[in-house]
Amino acid sequence: MAASSWHWVDPSIGWQRAHDVLCPGGWMALLGHVVVRRPGEPEVYAETADLHERFCPGNPDWGHPPLENDVRTTDEGWGLVDDPGESFGPTIVRWYPTVQWFDGDGFADLLRSTSLYRRLDRDVREPLLDAIAERIRTRMGDRAPRRYLSVLRVGQRAE
């Protein structure tokens, strides 16, 4: 089982190693999570794009999360990681949508814990997150969704 970590494994050795440690007939499971959005739903990144650009201009990582239905098109195989070839049989894919609701301060705290924001210098990050929290309070009624689409991909070890 790899939960939100398989992308860190060197594909030139990872699949073979996973195959070798599993008993014949054993199962490999990859669990991943993607932040997504739905059309027409208030979306924090759309509401705060000007703030992101003001506090940290030109950052290529800013942008909208993908649409949920676009992410679901990766409903075959192992998704965005390298294919294991003949090491594993066909995959079983299951999707699990969830949504968390945050007030402005809670959303800023969530962002504070993510690598995208942790990489920023504190003198940039904190004013940006304060401005995001204020924007959520004033433009979004102090209620912002964070929608996730989790995917479980399972395949049985080939003999």
Side-chain angles (χ1 to χ4, degrees):
M1 168 76 160
S4 296
S5 61
W6 193 252
H7 63 282
W8 294 108
V9 176
D10 180 350
S12 67
I13 61 170
W15 286 111
Q16 186 60 50
R17 195 167 270 173
H19 181 271
D20 293 347
V21 300
L22 287 170
C23 296
W27 291 84
M28 174 71 170
L30 301 183
L31 178 64
H33 312 281
V34 180
V35 175
V36 295
R37 62 190 168 96
R38 288 186 174 166
E41 184 174 71
E43 206 279 308
V44 173
Y45 298 101
E47 293 293 329
T48 61
D50 64 315
L51 300 175
H52 284 87
E53 194 58 30
R54 181 183 340 148
F55 286 94
C56 191
N59 188 328
D61 294 324
W62 301 145
H64 299 290
L67 289 168
E68 182 176 336
N69 287 340
D70 291 346
V71 172
R72 285 181 184 265
T73 63
T74 61
D75 60 356
E76 293 180 356
W78 293 95
L80 301 177
V81 299
D82 286 347
D83 192 272
E86 301 297 317
S87 299
F88 292 86
T91 55
I92 300 166
V93 179
R94 298 289 184 267
W95 297 99
Y96 302 94
T98 58
V99 64
Q100 289 180 292
W101 291 91
F102 294 90
D103 63 14
D105 291 332
F107 198 84
D109 285 343
L110 171 70
L111 296 180
R112 213 171 257 114
S113 73
T114 65
S115 60
L116 178 61
Y117 292 87
R118 293 185 63 77
R119 283 194 307 251
L120 298 175
D121 288 331
R122 182 173 172 43
D123 60 337
V124 172
R125 179 182 60 240
E126 293 308 313
L128 170 59
L129 294 177
D130 289 345
I132 290 170
E134 180 63 19
R135 180 70 55 86
I136 290 169
R137 283 191 290 276
T138 59
R139 286 200 190 166
M140 299 180 77
D142 208 21
R143 187 162 160 81
R146 178 82 161 192
R147 189 170 295 284
Y148 299 92
L149 190 57
S150 299
V151 61
L152 177 64
R153 299 174 189 274
V154 181
Q156 192 170 27
R157 177 192 152 171
E159 297 304 317

